[in-house]
Amino acid sequence: MELTAASGRTGATTTMLADTAMERSTGRLTLAAGDFNEPYHQDGDDRTEGQFDHHGASVTWSTTKAIGDSGFLDSYREANPGPGRRTELHLGQ
């Protein structure tokens, strides 16, 4: 996760989440959309560590986890629940 922090994603995500928390506190609805340049955190857990090119690794991606922990929903995962699907299909790779 050091590379994620060094890339600026962690700081940008923290800033976005602080702003959306402030907006929500006033009763406003918030929507976050974009390419966060990180896989979905639930696609890198122990249920998928032997699939694709994970090579036995289990990774909790910090950027998408922070976004999910803040109450945002992943629209792709809402429509296509469950880990183990080819993540390239919804990450556009």
Side-chain angles (χ1 to χ4, degrees), residues 5-80:
S7 74
R9 286 192 292 274
T10 301
T13 301
T14 300
T15 300
M16 181 215 35
L17 294 175
D19 183 61
T20 58
M22 183 187 70
E23 294 295 334
R24 287 176 174 181
S25 74
T26 68
R28 292 188 178 114
L29 298 176
T30 56
L31 172 73
D35 179 356
F36 298 104
N37 290 315
E38 195 168 275
Y40 185 55
H41 64 281
Q42 291 182 346
D43 283 344
D45 65 14
D46 59 354
R47 296 171 291 181
T48 60
E49 64 187 14
Q51 296 180 346
F52 315 121
D53 61 351
H54 295 188
H55 305 288
S58 180
V59 178
T60 302
W61 296 98
S62 59
T63 299
T64 56
K65 182 168 183 351
I67 294 167
D69 288 350
S70 293
F72 286 96
L73 301 176
D74 181 314
S75 59
Y76 180 85
R77 280 291 169 242
E78 289 296 305
N80 302 280

